[in-house]
Structures are given as C-alpha cells and as structure tokens.
Amino acid sequence: MALKVLYPSQDAGKAEVIKADIVAVHGLNGDPKNTWTSRQTAAFWLKDFLPQDVPNARVMTFGYNADAAFGNTTADIIDHAKSLLSSLVDKREEDDAKIEERYNSISECTVGIIFLGTPHRGSEKAAYGNVLATLATTVLNKPSPRLVNALRVNSETLMRLTTDFRFQLPKYQVYSFYEMKPMKVLSTLVVEKHSALLEIDGEEQIPVNANHEEMCKFMEREDDAYEKIFKRVRRMIKQHDSVPLNISRRENIIQEMYKGFLAANAVKMLVKQKRFVLYGLGGSGKTQACLKFAQDYRERFWGIFWIDASSKTSANQGFLEISQTCGVDKDPKVVRQWLSNIQNNWLLIIDNADDPSMDVSKFFPTGNRGSILLTTRNPDCRIHSTVGSCELGQMKTEEAVTLLLKATGAEDTTDKALRKKSIPVTETIGFLSLAIVQAGAYIRQSLCGIEEYCDLYTRCRGKLLEYVPVQLSTDYKYSVYTTWEISIEAIEKMCSDTSRNAIELLRVFCFLHYDGISEEIFEQAWSKSYTSKELPQDIANVFYMHPQQNTKDWDPILIREAAVLLASFSLIKIDEIGRCMSMHPLVHTWSRDRLSEELYGLFWVTSSSTLAATFSPEFGLTDYRFRRSLLPHIKSCISLCKDKPFLSGYSGINRVNMAMRFALAFAESGLLQEETELREKVLEARQRTLGSKHSDTLVAMSNLAKNYSNLGRMQEAMELQEKVLEASQKTFGSEHCDTLHAMHNLSDSYSNLRRMQEAMELREKVLEASQRTLGSNHPNTHTAMNNLAVSYSNLGRMQEAMELEEKVLEARQRTLGSEHPDTLCVMNNLAVSYSDLGRMQEAMELRENVLEASQRIFGSNHPNTLTAMNNLANNYSNLGRMQEAIELEEKVLENRQRILGSEHPDTLCVMNNLAVGYSNLGRMQEAMELQGKILEASQRTLGSEHPDTLCVMNNLAVSYSNSGRMQEAMELQEKVLEKRQRILGSEHPDTLNATDNLAIFYSNLGHWQEAMELQKQVLETYQRTLGSKHPDTLCLMNNLAFSYSNLGRMQEAMELQGKILEASQRTLGSNHPDTLTAMNNLTDSYSNLGRMQEAMELQEKVLEKRQRILGSEHPDTLNATGNLASFYSNLGRRQEAMELQEQALETMQRTLGSKHPDTLTAMKNLAFIQREKVG
C-alpha cells in the first residue's frame, strides 16, 4: 500500500501555489499506474495531462493489493482505507486528522468525489455480491476463488459500508461517470447505470462512451471524457477557492447531531434514551436545521416523527397524527408507549417547545429506546439532553451571504462581486437566518436591489421585518417581528409581577446598548439614589427602584427573575459569571419599534435617567471602571433620543443634569469631542434658564474652558476663563473662593499659552488673597502656594520653586498626613524641582516614596499609582538606568491600555515615554513603530492639528533623525513648524522648539547657514520672552554655538559657550547636569581651537563631577570618559586613552548593549586609538 506523488515532482522547479490534492484510487485490477494508462499511446493522463490543465493541484495515486483487501473480511478493507487516510494525513502535515475521530480533517477538507464506474449496489438482474464477483472476474485476469467468494459472502457488509458512506456525501460535490459500452467478452455492461449512480441530491450523472476498462484511460488531452473530468476538477477547486473554507453553523450542528445519534459510540449507547436539544432565538433556523438532519439521514432511522410542541394541544394533535400513520390507538399516551416498545431506531422531533411553563419531558416516550430531537427558545431545556445540546445563534458571514444569495435566486452564489455587495445586508439584519431568508425573498421579487436594501431598511425597517412573501423558501409561516411578538404575548398572558417586570425590563434594555448590560447598572442606580436620598422622579416608579424588601441593601431578585423569564424565550442572554445580559441586535431594534410614541418617550427617559443615577462624586478606580463600562449605553441613549438634538439651549433641568454626568464619562475616557458637544449645550441651556452670572452657569463655562484646553483650543479656553473671572468678581467679589478659583483656572490658560509671567502674577494674587482670607494653613492656601511654585519653575526660577514646594509639603504633612493624595501630589512636584536642580538622587528617592504610598493607598492599578510609576521611570531615565525605566513604562502602558483603552490621551502619553526609552537604548526601529502608532491614534482621536498630535510628529521626526533618515526628519519637522506657526503663533515656546529642531536637522544635512539663521531667530525671541538666563535660552545658545563651529567660526562658538557656562553656574550651580554639559561643550571648542591642554583639564573636571553626581555608568559619564580618552590620544597619552576607552566600552556593552549607537561609536574610537598607538 502506497501513496505516490506524481506532480509536482521532487526535482521540479518552483511549481504554482498548490491549492488542492487530487488522489486517484484504482479498483479491483490493482495497479496505481496501468489503471490510468492508455494501451495505445501509453499516456498516463494523471501525470501527462492533468498537471497541464490543473497546475495548482498536487496529483497522487494510491495503490493496494485487491486480493488482500477484499479476500478475507471487510476489516481488511477498513485497514486499507486507514492506510490511505494516514498517508494523506502525513502528506498534508495535519495533526488532527480523523474519520474515526482522527481522520475528520480529511473528511472536512474534502471538496468533492468523482466516481468512474463504481458499483454502489446490486441491480434488478443480479444481487450486489454477484455484481462484485462478475466485476472481479472481468477485470482481473485470474482472480483467486477466495476473492470471488469473499465478494459474494461479504456483499451485505460491503453494501452497509456503501450505505453509511452515502450519508457523508451531501456535503461534497459528487460526479458519477457511468459506462455506455459493454466489454468485448460480455454482452452486458460490467457496472450498470443503476449501480454506478448514488441517486443523491446534487449528484451530477455523466455518461461515458466507453466500456468499463477504457472509461478511465485516455489516449490524448482532447478526449471528451478526460475534458469532462479535468473541467469538473477545476470547477471544484475554483468554487472552493472563491468562498473561504468555512463549515457553516448549520453543518456544524448537524455534525453534532450525527455524533450524538448515529456515530459508532452513540449507536452502542443503550443505557439511556438519546436526546439532543437545539435552542436559540426565534427565527435563528432551528426548525430548518432539524429538517436538514432528517432529510440527510432519513435512511438511518426506521421512522421519523414530528410534533409541534408550541402548546399542549398542538403536541397531542401531533401524537394523534402518528397514531393514524402507524395504526395505533388514538391516544397520545398509547402512542408514546408504543414508541417505547419499538426496538428499531426511531427519531422523534419535538419542535417549538418554547413555553417555559410547560414540562416538555411529558412528551418523551419512556425507556431508553429511540432518539429525540428537541427545539426550543428556552435554554433551560438543556437539562433534558443526554447526547448534547447546541445554541443556534448568529450565522457566520460567509454562510449568511450564501443563504441570502440563494434566497434571492442568484444563479452563481460564488460570484465575488455579488458576495461583497451582500455582506452589508447580512450585517444590517444581524446574521439572523429568518431575516436573511425574508430579505432575500424581498429582493427576489424585484422590490429592491441588493445595493438598495440597507438604505431601504434604514427608512422602512418595520415594514421589511414584518414582510412575509407568498412564495418563501422555508416552511416558517411568521415574519421576523411576528416570531418575537408570539413570545411577548406568552409573557403577557402570565399576568404576574415577574412577567410585568420582564416587559418593563425589555423596554429599558432596548435603549441601552444591546451588549454588556450589567446588573451593576441597576444596583448602582438604586444604591446611589437611596444613599443620597434623592430618588430621580423619572425613575421613581420603575420596578427595580422600589424599596427592596424594606431593607437598605440591594436585593437583585426582582431584576434576576425578570431577566430569567426573558431569557427563557431567548429574547436576551445571561452571562451568569459576570451577571451581564445581552440581546440580538434585531431583537433590540424590534423592542423599540413595537413601542407606541408615548412608551418610547417614557422608557427612553427611564433608561437614560437610570444611567445618570449611577454617577457619584467619588473618583475611585472602581467608579472609573464602572463609568467606562457605561459609555456604549450612554452613546446608545443619546443616539436614540427622538427629541433631536439630545441637548439644546431649551432643554429642561433634568436633561441638563443628565448631560453633565454623561460629559464626565466622556471626559474620563478621553472622548474629548463628545464631551465638548455636551458641555457647549449645557452652557447654552444654563445661560438661557439661569442667566450668564449664575454660579451654575459660571461652573458650566469653566468646565467648557477646561475641555477646550484639553482639545488644544487654548485661545478659546482663555477667553472663556476671562469671562468667568470677570463675572465672578462682579458677582462674588475679588476675594471670594469662587473668584480665586476662577483666577487659578485663568492662570492655567495663560500657562498653556506660555504667557508665564502673567500666569505667575495671577497666582501670586491668588496666594496673597488666600493667605489673607483663609489663613496660611488652609488647604486652599497650600494649593495656591503649590501652583505658584509651578509658575516659578516654568520661568526658570528653580530654587524659589523648590523652597516654596518644601514649605507646602511640610504644611500638607502636618495638616493632612504624609499619605494624603494632596500630600503625595506636592511630593511629586518637589521631586520635579529636585530633578530640575540636578538633585537626581533626591528626586528619585522622593518618587519611590510616592509610588510606594500610592500602591498602598490606591492599589497598583489606580491612575494615581500609574502616574507615580511613570514619573519614577522618568527619574530612572535621568539617572541613566534605562532598562529599569523601560520596564516600568511597559508596566504602566499595559495597565493604561487595559483600564483606559489604547487611544486615551494618558495612554498615548505613556506610549510616547516608552518610545523615548526605546530610543535611549538604541532600539530605534521599535521607537519609530510605536511613535507611528501614537501619531495615527492622535490624528484619529484629537485631530491632525492638536498640540499633542504635533508633539508626536515632532518626536517622530527626532527618531527619523536618530535613525539616519535625515531627509524624512526635515520634511516632517517643516510640517510641524508650519502648523505650530499657524495655530500657536511664531513666538509660542512649542513653535520655537520646532524651529530649533528644524535647525538641527538642517545642520545634520549640512545646511549650516540655514540652521544658524533659524537659531538666531529663536534665540532672539527666547531672550526677549524668557530672559537670557532661562534654561531654554541657554540650551538654544548652545545649539547656535554648534552652528558657529560647523561654519568654522570657532572663536565665536567658544565665546558663546563660555557665556553659557558662566550663566549656568550662576543660575543652576556648578554641579548641575546642565552646567556640566556646558563645560563638556566648551572642551570641544577648546579642542577645535587647538587648546588641547585646557580642553583636557576641563574634561577631567567634567568626568570627576559626573562620576560623583551621576555615577560611573550614567550615559553622560560614559560620554565624558570617551571625550577625555580622545583628548589623551590627541596629546600623545595613548595608553591612558586606550584604558579609558576600553573601560567606557565595557560599561556601554553591559548597560546599553552591543548594538547601541553609543556603543558602536565607542568601538570605533577604541579602534582608532589602537591604530594610533601602533602607528
């Protein structure tokens, strides 16, 4: 026994992509080659012809010994079949192949079968055994008597194998070729037409003008029979390729039924009655699946009986019809007893057992005989299953498209263009079987085209879903909507509190999103309302807001009983683990469409008010997560509001309050545009109803200003805040707490617009007024001090900022305690000041304390904890502990994505920090890929001109530059600069930063003159707006010095760097990292001017201080080590130079990795020094 590959051959060149396997299995003449080879031309068509006509298929033959296979028992045949399948499994490299269970993948991957004169049964003239014996005698020269006898003796078993096989065939394309000429030695056909045909649905029957032996041998490619074979092979491959391999949902379920009822292990199961339960939403195709199973396997059952169990009356009527058919007494009990005593395998289909109050088990015949297939909408009926159960839910896309096209009467359901047009239709109607069939019927009657259906559905949804065509390709008599109305009518007839609550709950659900309806929504609405003792009038009468058994605790029993009743009709689904409920989208739509206009308005308000009632002033992690889960429901309620728009200037107070809470949910989730739309309408409504000077109006105005600021609309935010301050001063006075709060908010706007001096002056006024009216120890005074410290820091007054923050921290620790959130906030700000002053170690220790306290107080996943972790990562990076920084940032990012989502502004900020970390470690490609994702998300969520988006573009340009992609870096930076000049103005710090970056890129490209001119413009602006000693001014002076150096203006470069060093020492101190950087840069100028001794001496000072302050492994320290090694080399101290460079290289390889750009540069420098030493 062997499976041999004929094409492609092993020594052949690259063949086409193989899309299918073709396996040729010979008959009783027992040869894998001669069976298919022409005697006249010696053409072996499987190898000589077929690869030319079907080049994308692998062609194989399977050879076996017919005498061994058929000569003893049918067990030998099964062994040979297993050999074929095992060989195929090996060839296809499949691990999960089955037929017993292990060959199933071959069964499922088989597309079609071509039979050439295969005897499937006996005929009128001869028994099956005689047909097989005659065949053996004819095609074999001298068949052994043992084989002929075995074929006669085992013919009954062989016939059973053939019959069993017929039930696998409906899912395959089957082509049966039958001979038209007798063999020369016979007067009759070897295999008569009746025997050569399976007579199954879809079988194509093809006559061949040849005898039994010649019908599978072809002299030439033009042979008519060969053409028919290869064209059908090509058709099978083409059709299989045009529709993705996708076993349909119904086929899967029918396979499960087969396994439960008819598979070998199921047949042996005699200890209990075989019962399979098929459940699901009305209209999902349960009845049709049962019909298909019964049709495909009708010959495997002695009898198939059907009863309609939609009511006891209809079920009893079904049993009476069975009694008439089978000649049994007209009594349902007698019929069931009769079935219990029948030994033959029967199938009883109990359809539509949907009533949850009816005990369907009473319809089961007693005992362990027979098979029962039960369909129901009630998932609880699964308890009756003994061999399995399945839920029939939404169809798969490809399956749904095929069903739609069949329903439209399309001739070619594989047409790719037509299938593409059909996908939106199936998506629109929720992949529901009945809806698809009825949509197809509507299209088939030329009432609309496939392309028009979705638009028509939007305008006339109810009409379409209530439509029942006269000629329908299903026995189902109801429309989609009528199907579910039957369930509602059954619930209403129960006339109980639970049934009334269920109807009410469905009406609430239909305005929420159809998925993720958590029980917690109703619990939070109840508990928050009763805790605050303010039960909203709009939901005061809904059942789940009633007092719960006269206790103060939430009792979920009412809502659970109502939900379980709805679920028993499959109108909703319940996830028991998360106590979440969901609905099919079409049921969700129908639930609204069936409401009167009055009920629609009433329950829209009920649903929306329930969501609004869940909000509370707290801001814990659990509150945030819960509010985030409400977003789909909030969006659904807003979109389904018939009073368009959802909120206007004429909306009432309840609607305005609801909108304010919804805006909070949008803000927390970073949905800034949605928040803006609501806050603008809230302000409009407040101004109309309360007036422009009312405190609530001013709060609404201030909230909108903050929102504008978050959107990058800084000018509009400032103008609003100025109006708030002016109105507050007139209404409350200049020292009222609301006025001081408005002054603080306006100072934030000034700060965002980089009007730092004005921001500081306002904050000084706030602090002075707070101290005078509230006292120096009041929390608001401490907040004012902290805000002023931030202004000092922004203006480069680092020492003053630090001193003020130390005072605030001492006061907060004394009044609030060392672990109060406000105390931790001040500790973080003080750490920033320490860092700005070069006190990196103290900054890190402070931030480690903040992180430890945050984890203890808030938990490891709270936003405050994640912020503390991110800040500590920045400190690690400043200290050169790059790997630790990245590991922390990766943790922060993972938590931000899980809690906030991947496109929240805070998540994008962390992604940007991580990208910087990757860049610091020389992982440039990862940095650029991450920044590309950030840019795409920022453009999508914030817009292409938002300051944060422009910041990401700027960072990406820097990464391009670091990767040597200078031209791309320059072009991207030019776009950033153009947008910042237009949006922020030419003197905004962000614009100046973009200008400076562009100058650096010009310099990298050798455009030194252009770089210098740009830098001069920026420096002049910095000196005018920030002062000549501000850190940003000094940084720009340094860049300009480099441009002078590049242009050969060495003396000017040195003089400028001398000024920078002097200013840094005076403002930051002699040990500040920026001062040391200025010293390092000045050594380069000395070196360029040939003042090597001075350069070396200054570099030694830099190295000593960096080792002491930053540590010996900090990247800046290693840079200083490398520079000093170069100076030693230039001065002829080659041995010292080499030792220093080797030391730096070893540390870089260990801390940064061998492929980091700085490491590679150090390797080059060491090689140069070594060459110089040798030379």
Side-chain angles (χ1 to χ4, degrees), residues 875-894:
N875 253 109
Y876 284 160
S877 183
N878 290 335
L879 284 166
R881 296 162 62 174
M882 304 302 183
Q883 190 60 40
E884 292 170 271
I886 281 183
E887 289 170 2
L888 264 188
E889 282 161 351
E890 286 176 336
K891 286 181 183 177
V892 175
L893 178 58
E894 188 273 328

Side-chain angles (χ1 to χ4, degrees), residues 348-545:
L348 175 63
I349 299 175
I350 302 177
D351 197 21
N352 300 322
D354 302 327
D355 188 349
S357 65
M358 183 171 65
D359 183 4
V360 71
S361 66
K362 292 183 178 179
F363 302 137
F364 300 163
T366 59
N368 61 0
R369 292 176 178 167
S371 302
I372 296 176
L373 180 51
L374 177 69
T375 76
T376 176
R377 301 182 189 187
N378 186 0
D380 290 343
C381 285
R382 287 174 293 179
I383 195 174
H384 300 302
S385 70
T386 61
V387 294
S389 63
C390 279
E391 179 182 13
L392 201 55
Q394 294 181 184
M395 304 180 82
K396 297 176 183 177
T397 302
E398 294 299 332
E399 175 189 13
V401 167
T402 300
L403 179 61
L404 176 67
L405 292 178
K406 286 181 178 178
T408 63
E411 291 184 4
D412 184 4
T413 61
T414 66
D415 184 279
K416 289 185 178 180
L418 194 56
R419 293 185 72 84
K420 187 175 181 180
K421 291 178 184 177
S422 303
I423 290 175
V425 177
T426 59
E427 289 175 341
T428 298
I429 52 185
F431 302 105
L432 189 70
S433 176
L434 179 59
I436 291 169
V437 169
Q438 293 180 352
Y442 197 86
I443 294 167
R444 186 180 69 242
Q445 294 189 3
S446 301
L447 297 174
C448 74
I450 284 182
E451 301 93 332
E452 303 171 285
Y453 188 88
C454 291
D455 181 58
L456 186 63
Y457 179 89
T458 303
R459 292 182 283 108
C460 310
R461 181 177 60 228
K463 178 181 177 182
L464 290 177
L465 295 177
E466 289 172 353
Y467 172 75
V468 181
V470 176
Q471 305 297 330
L472 189 62
S473 59
T474 173
D475 296 332
Y476 205 70
K477 58 185 177 182
Y478 300 119
S479 72
V480 178
Y481 274 10
T482 306
T483 297
W484 301 325
E485 282 294 341
I486 292 170
S487 296
I488 287 295
E489 289 172 6
I491 294 173
E492 289 173 339
K493 286 178 183 178
M494 294 178 184
C495 297
S496 65
D497 287 342
T498 299
S499 64
R500 283 187 286 273
N501 292 345
I503 299 296
E504 196 170 347
L505 192 63
L506 188 67
R507 290 169 176 172
V508 172
F509 280 9
C510 71
F511 292 101
L512 305 177
H513 191 271
Y514 56 79
D515 197 15
I517 307 172
S518 68
E519 188 181 282
E520 187 181 6
I521 293 173
F522 306 97
E523 178 182 358
Q524 291 286 345
W526 184 88
S527 62
K528 297 286 169 55
S529 298
Y530 279 92
T531 300
S532 64
K533 298 182 180 179
E534 294 181 5
L535 181 60
Q537 185 177 358
D538 290 332
I539 55 175
N541 296 320
V542 70
F543 79 92
Y544 50 76
M545 297 300 291

Side-chain angles (χ1 to χ4, degrees), residues 38 130 143 159 273 296 315 322 337 370 405 466 589 625 765 772 799 929 1085 1175:
S38 167
N130 289 333
M159 186 64 191
Q273 192 175 65
D296 287 351
I322 294 173
Q337 185 61 44
L405 292 178
E466 289 172 353
T589 302
R625 282 177 172 166
K765 290 180 181 178
R772 187 168 53 252
Q799 189 66 31
E929 289 172 2
S1085 286

Side-chain angles (χ1 to χ4, degrees), residues 928 955-966 968-969 972:
M928 284 188 296
N955 293 341
L956 182 57
V958 172
S959 288
Y960 283 160
S961 177
N962 291 337
S963 296
R965 297 162 63 175
M966 302 301 181
E968 291 170 273
L972 192 58

Side-chain angles (χ1 to χ4, degrees), residues 847-958:
R847 280 180 165 159
E848 285 178 335
N849 290 339
V850 172
L851 176 57
E852 183 185 343
S854 297
Q855 289 173 324
R856 189 166 54 251
I857 298 165
F858 304 118
S860 58
N861 293 327
H862 191 279
N864 290 3
T865 306
L866 298 178
T867 298
M869 195 178 293
N870 187 66
N871 292 337
L872 180 58
N874 289 336
N875 253 109
Y876 284 160
S877 183
N878 290 335
L879 284 166
R881 296 162 62 174
M882 304 302 183
Q883 190 60 40
E884 292 170 271
I886 281 183
E887 289 170 2
L888 264 188
E889 282 161 351
E890 286 176 336
K891 286 181 183 177
V892 175
L893 178 58
E894 188 273 328
N895 279 288
R896 289 278 199 222
Q897 287 174 324
R898 179 165 46 81
I899 297 170
L900 301 179
S902 59
E903 295 193 348
H904 191 281
D906 290 352
T907 305
L908 299 179
C909 179
V910 176
M911 289 174 72
N912 182 66
N913 291 342
L914 181 58
V916 172
Y918 286 157
S919 182
N920 288 336
L921 275 174
R923 295 160 62 176
M924 301 303 180
Q925 189 61 35
E926 291 171 271
M928 284 188 296
E929 289 172 2
L930 199 54
Q931 286 166 335
K933 291 178 182 178
I934 301 166
L935 178 57
E936 183 183 341
S938 295
Q939 289 172 326
R940 187 166 54 250
T941 58
L942 301 175
S944 61
E945 297 191 342
H946 189 279
D948 290 354
T949 305
L950 298 180
C951 181
V952 177
M953 290 175 69
N954 182 80
N955 293 341
L956 182 57
V958 172

Side-chain angles (χ1 to χ4, degrees), residues 705-722:
K706 291 176 183 175
N707 184 231
Y708 282 163
S709 181
N710 291 332
L711 279 170
R713 297 161 62 176
M714 305 301 182
Q715 188 65 31
E716 293 170 272
M718 184 198 70
E719 291 168 1
L720 269 185
Q721 295 289 15
E722 286 177 333

